[in-house]
Amino acid sequence: MSFSLLETINNPADLRRLARRELDVLAGQLRAFVLESVARTGGHLSSNLGTVELTIALHYVFNTPYDRLVWDVGHQTYPHKILTGRRERMDTLRQLDGISGFPRRVESEYDTFGTAHSSTSISAALGMALAAKQKGEDRYAVAVIGDGAMSAGMAFEALNNGGVHPDARLIVILNDNDMSISPPVGALNRYLARLMSGKFYAAARRAGERVLGVAPPLWELAKRFEEHAKGMVVPGTLFEEFGFNYIGPIDGHDLDSLIPTLQNLKALKGPQFLHVVTRKGQGYKLAEADPVLYHGPGKFDPAHGIVAKSGGKPTYTQVFGDWLCDMAAADPRLVGITPAMREGSGMVTFAERFPERYHDVGIAEQHALTFAAGLACEGVKPVVAIYSTFLQRAYDQLIHDIALQDLPVLFAIDRAGLVGADGATHAGSYDLSFLRCIPNVAVMAPADENECRQMLYTGFLRNHPVAVRYPRGSGPGVAVQKEMTELPWGKGEVRRRAARAEIAILAFGSMLGPALAAGEELDATVVNMRFVKPVDAELVAEMALGHELIVTVEENVVAGGAGAACAEALAEAGIVVPMLHLGLPDVFVDHGDPAKLLSLQGLDAQGIGKAVALRLSQLPRRDLRKTA
C-alpha cells in the first residue's frame, strides 16, 4: 500500500494543515502502516488498530504538545508515535536502543506522561490542568482511558477529585471498546443493566408490555427505544454526579463525529467527559475476530495471520495453569484470583473447569489482595495469580491485610525479573526485595519447570502467606512430574561440588542455569538456594566456612535482594567472608531481547565468570574462613 500522504506527516502541525477530506485517506494509510510495522517487529496490535481515527482527531483538534495528551496504559499509542515524528523508527519498536512500546517523556515532547500501568491518566491530566491554571496558561489536558482501566479505583479517585474543579480545562475520553486485555468484568460493566432493572423502569416496562403486547411491532420498537435511551442517557448520570459534563457515546471511527465533537468540547467550561466507542482490531478482520490473540503478537505475516506453534517447552505460566487445575481438583478449598490477566497468567482452563472458584476482579490489584484476605479468613485457600510489576500496586494490602494477619494466601508471581520488550515498566525487578522484608511472608524462586510445580504445591500447603516467583517464558526444559511433592522447607540443595574449596556460587531461581555453566568453567561449588525467605542459613554458613569467596546471583535488584539475605545470615552467625553480589543494578533496565539484557547486566554464564575472576584477582590468598 502507498503511504504517500502519511509520509508527509512528520509532526501534528503537518496533520493540522491537511484538508478535512484528506484525513480519511490518512487514517487508511496509518492503519495499514501500523499493521505492517507490528507484523515485522511484534508488539501491541488490536488496541492500536482501534485508536487510529481517535489519534488523528485529537492531534487535529488540539494544539499538541502545548495541549497535554495523556494515554492510559499507553499500549495503544503506536499511531500517536507515528504521527509525532517517530514513523521512521517504528522498525526499532521495543528493541534494544529502539523506541518504547509505551509513552516515555524522554522519548518525545508529545509523550507528556509516561504510562504503562492502568488507570493513571485522569490523575495525571488533572494535575497538568490545575498546574496550567496556577501558572495562568491557557492549555487543555486530555486523558484517554479505556473501559477496562475505568474499573480501577484510582480512576474514580481522580474523577472524584477532578469534578470539584469547575475551572479545570480537563477532558476525559473514555475509549470504550468493551474489552481490556481479557474481557472486562465487574459491576461497572453491569451498571446500566442494574439501573434498567430498577423499580421505575420495571414498572414502566410492565405497563408498556400490557399496552403494546397486543401489537408486537410496536413492542419491538419500544424495546429498541429503551436500548437507545439506556446508552444515551443513563451513563451520563454516573459521570455527571462526579461533576463532569457527559457527552456520548459517539462512534470513535467516524472522523465526522469525532472532530466537531472535540472542537465543541473545547468551547465548554469545566471538566468534560466524552464517551467514544471503538473496536479493537478495527480494519484487520483477523484481529477484529480475536482481539485477545492479536493483543500482543510476535512477528507474523499479515496475509496469513498468526500461526500457532506446536511442541516446544512449556512456559512457567503454563506450568502454573496446569498445577492450578490439578490442585483445585484435589482440594475444593482452592480459589483462583486474577486482576484482569486471565490469559497472561495462564488461568483460561481453570476458569472453564472451575467457574465458581474463579474470580477475575478487574484491574483492581489492591482489591484482589484484600478480597483474598477475606476469603482466607473463612477457611478458603486463595491463589492470587499476579505479575510481579502489578503486585507493586497492592503493597499496602499485602502488608496490612494479609501478612499482618498471617493469612494463608499463595501468590503465583509471574514475569519476575526482566521481561524483555515491555521494558522497565513491566520488569519484575524488585519483588524479592520488597517481599522478604515483610514478616510472615515466605518467598521461593524455582530454578526449573518441575521445581515451580513442586514449590506451588509446597506453598499451598502452608498456613501462612507464601510467594512463588517465576520468570516470563519457558525454563531450561526439565520434565514436569505429575505427582506433587512437598519440598523440604527452607532448604537449598548443592548442585555441583567443586574439586577446590575456592568459590561457592549461591544461585536463586532462574540464575541456576548460568551459574552452573559458570561453575563448570571456574570449578566452583554451585547451590540451588530455592528459598529466599527463609533463606537456608545453615547451608550458607557451610559454604562460607568451606570456600574463599561467596557469590550470590539473582534476577532481582541487588539492593535488599536474595544476596542481602545471605549476607545478613552470615552476619548473624558471626562469619566473615569475601562476598560478591550479582544481580540487577540500581537503574531501570530498558526494553530489548531478554537474553541480551541479561548479558548486558552480566547475568549470563560469561558475565558471571568474568565478575568472579575479577573479584578473585583482587583478594589476597588466605586460609578458609573461620567463625569470628
Side-chain angles (χ1 to χ4, degrees):
M1 180 177 181
S2 170
F3 301 112
S4 56
L5 182 58
L6 178 61
E7 289 170 353
T8 68
I9 308 301
N10 296 308
N11 55 61
D14 294 335
L15 169 66
R16 290 190 281 270
R17 283 192 286 267
L18 294 180
R20 168 62 191 87
R21 64 180 181 277
E22 296 177 287
L23 296 184
D24 291 306
V25 177
L26 178 65
Q29 293 185 11
L30 180 56
R31 178 167 281 110
F33 189 89
V34 168
L35 176 59
E36 290 188 15
S37 177
V38 175
R40 289 194 301 269
T41 63
H44 295 101
L45 181 62
S46 298
S47 55
N48 284 289
L49 293 177
T51 58
V52 167
E53 288 83 6
L54 179 59
T55 304
I56 290 174
L58 287 169
H59 283 295
Y60 190 75
V61 172
F62 292 95
N63 182 27
T64 55
Y66 181 78
D67 290 329
R68 310 305 196 204
L69 185 55
V70 182
W71 298 89
D72 210 283
V73 182
H75 63 306
Q76 77 281 44
T77 54
Y78 298 179
H80 162 81
K81 287 176 181 279
I82 293 165
L83 295 176
T84 54
R86 287 166 278 184
R87 182 184 66 251
E88 298 301 322
R89 297 198 65 206
M90 285 299 289
D91 60 346
T92 71
L93 183 73
R94 309 199 322 156
Q95 299 170 37
L96 188 64
D97 298 324
I99 62 175
S100 170
F102 302 96
R104 297 184 71 190
R105 284 170 55 83
V106 296
E107 189 176 292
S108 170
E109 63 179 335
Y110 293 93
D111 293 358
T112 62
F113 194 79
T115 53
H117 283 190
S118 164
S119 315
T120 62
S121 62
I122 304 176
S123 298
L126 175 60
M128 293 173 178
L130 294 183
K133 177 185 174 184
Q134 181 175 326
K135 295 190 294 181
E137 296 171 344
D138 185 25
R139 70 170 91 238
Y140 294 89
V142 182
V144 182
I145 184 169
D147 55 308
M150 278 299 301
S151 69
M154 188 174 177
F156 284 89
E157 292 172 14
L159 289 174
N160 185 56
N161 186 200
V164 299
H165 295 282
D167 297 328
R169 307 201 82 170
L170 172 67
I171 299 175
V172 176
I173 298 177
L174 173 60
N175 177 26
D176 180 0
N177 51 39
D178 198 31
M179 192 150 195
S180 42
I181 297 174
S182 301
V185 295
L188 183 61
N189 235 32
R190 300 170 184 170
Y191 174 70
L192 298 180
R194 186 171 69 250
L195 284 180
M196 297 306 290
S197 65
K199 292 182 178 179
F200 172 79
Y201 286 102
R205 188 184 182 98
R206 285 193 299 270
E209 280 189 65
R210 288 194 299 269
V211 173
L212 301 174
V214 295
L218 291 178
W219 175 235
E220 182 62 30
L221 179 63
K223 285 199 298 184
R224 290 181 181 178
F225 176 78
E226 179 190 61
E227 291 168 359
H228 178 71
K230 181 171 61 177
M232 294 298 290
V233 180
V234 180
T237 304
L238 173 66
F239 300 109
E240 290 187 353
E241 287 297 322
F242 278 108
F244 283 73
N245 177 45
Y246 174 89
I247 297 171
I250 66 171
D251 185 351
H253 299 298
D254 181 7
L255 289 169
D256 287 332
S257 295
L258 283 170
I259 290 175
T261 301
L262 290 172
Q263 289 171 334
N264 290 338
L265 278 177
K266 292 177 66 176
L268 299 177
K269 292 184 178 181
Q272 306 295 318
F273 192 101
L274 174 62
H275 186 170
V276 172
V277 177
T278 61
R279 184 175 187 179
K280 274 198 172 185
Q282 174 75 10
Y284 183 50
K285 295 300 183 183
L286 294 174
E288 289 179 6
D290 195 343
V292 173
L293 178 64
Y294 286 86
H295 169 72
K299 299 177 183 179
F300 70 99
D301 181 355
H304 299 94
I306 297 173
V307 179
K309 296 179 181 179
S310 58
K313 297 182 292 185
T315 65
Y316 281 102
T317 302
Q318 291 168 333
V319 170
F320 164 72
D322 292 342
W323 170 82
L324 187 65
C325 289
D326 292 343
M327 195 71 242
D331 192 332
R333 298 175 302 164
L334 183 150
V335 298
I337 301 170
T338 176
M341 296 303 295
R342 181 186 65 184
E343 286 79 12
S345 292
M347 299 183 74
V348 173
T349 303
F350 176 80
E352 294 170 349
R353 288 185 56 188
F354 304 95
E356 298 302 317
R357 294 153 65 185
Y358 165 73
H359 301 279
D360 183 345
V361 301
I363 302 176
E365 295 88 357
Q366 294 170 302
H367 163 63
L369 267 65
T370 304
F371 171 57
L375 289 166
C377 285
E378 300 301 323
V380 174
K381 294 280 284 187
V383 178
V384 178
I386 191 167
Y387 289 9
S388 174
T389 184
F390 298 154
L391 182 57
Q392 295 163 187
R393 311 189 86 184
Y395 196 54
D396 179 72
Q397 288 70 27
L398 173 60
I399 295 173
H400 285 267
D401 298 335
I402 294 177
L404 188 62
Q405 303 185 92
D406 199 19
L407 295 173
V409 177
L410 176 65
F411 294 92
I413 304 177
D414 206 331
R415 270 65 167 180
L418 300 181
V419 294
D422 283 337
T425 57
H426 283 61
S429 305
Y430 317 106
D431 54 73
L432 295 185
S433 300
F434 71 66
L435 286 170
R436 61 173 290 266
C437 66
I438 305 174
N440 295 331
V441 176
V443 187
M444 291 183 275
D448 59 53
E449 299 91 333
N450 184 56
E451 197 165 73
C452 183
R453 179 178 173 88
Q454 309 313 326
M455 282 185 177
L456 289 164
Y457 176 68
T458 301
F460 185 79
L461 295 181
R462 304 291 291 184
N463 200 34
H464 310 279
V466 177
V468 179
R469 60 100 72 171
Y470 43 89
R472 182 178 189 173
S474 58
V478 173
V480 179
Q481 68 183 50
K482 184 71 172 176
E483 180 185 0
M484 290 183 276
T485 305
E486 186 175 3
L487 298 176
W489 187 255
K491 296 298 180 182
E493 59 170 0
V494 178
R495 294 289 292 268
R496 184 185 189 279
R497 288 280 184 184
R500 297 176 296 158
E502 187 177 35
I503 308 161
I505 303 176
L506 312 183
F508 292 86
S510 60
M511 289 293 98
L512 179 63
L516 284 169
E520 290 294 329
E521 293 295 320
L522 298 166
D523 188 23
T525 296
V526 179
V527 178
N528 174 20
M529 289 299 295
R530 286 182 168 170
F531 286 80
V532 178
K533 184 184 181 181
V535 73
D536 191 342
E538 291 183 2
L539 186 54
V540 174
E542 177 190 333
M543 293 297 108
L545 293 172
H547 297 81
E548 295 186 40
L549 175 65
I550 297 296
V551 181
T552 63
V553 192
E554 61 192 294
E555 195 173 347
N556 184 85
V557 290
V558 171
C566 296
E568 291 162 11
L570 292 177
E572 181 70 19
I575 300 173
V576 180
V577 61
M579 299 189 75
L580 172 62
H581 299 310
L582 301 179
L584 300 178
D586 189 26
V587 298
F588 292 109
V589 179
D590 231 335
H591 49 268
D593 176 74
K596 180 64 174 178
L597 293 178
L598 287 172
S599 175
L600 290 173
Q601 307 310 319
L603 294 179
D604 58 354
Q606 185 178 18
I608 294 170
K610 285 183 177 180
V612 172
L614 176 61
R615 179 57 59 89
L616 279 176
S617 70
Q618 298 168 341
L619 295 177
R621 292 300 177 191
R622 61 181 75 184
D623 295 331
L624 297 182
R625 306 282 70 76
K626 306 297 182 184
T627 54

